[in-house]
Every structure is written in structure tokens, then in C-alpha cells.
Amino acid sequence: MKTRTLKNVLHITLVCTVIIASILITKSIIHNVKYLYGLEPAGSGTTCFFDFIQ
């Protein structure tokens, strides 16, 4: 019984860690895209975004 509870706790912790890491990575990528978009002259943000992806 205790082993099962421990496995559930570890599983929930792992899932929460993956979700938090995904949120932080996505937030960082969005921040980088906004920063690069701000460096470009008006109208060339799409080009900057495609350059960032490549």
C-alpha cells in the first residue's frame, strides 16, 4: 500500500514538473520572439519570426 502511494506521489510530482517546465520554456520563447520583433522595423516582424524559427 505504501509503495503504491509513493508511486502516485512521484507520478504527480513528475507530471507537475513537466507542466511547469513546459510553461517556462514557452514563456521564454514568446519573450524572445517579442524581443526580436521589437528590434525589427515595422512590417518586417514576420521575416524576423521565420528567421528565429530557422
Side-chain angles (χ1 to χ4, degrees):
M1 187 68 180
K2 288 184 179 183
T3 305
R4 187 174 193 171
T5 304
L6 181 61
K7 285 182 181 180
N8 287 342
V9 169
L10 290 175
H11 181 74
I12 290 170
T13 305
L14 181 64
V15 170
C16 289
T17 304
V18 169
I19 290 172
I20 291 171
S22 298
I23 290 171
L24 292 176
I25 291 169
T26 304
K27 198 173 179 183
S28 175
I29 289 172
I30 290 171
H31 174 69
N32 289 341
V33 169
K34 284 182 178 179
Y35 175 73
L36 291 174
Y37 181 77
L39 292 178
E40 295 293 322
S44 60
T46 305
T47 304
C48 176
F49 181 72
F50 287 124
D51 288 344
F52 178 71
I53 290 175
Q54 292 175 353

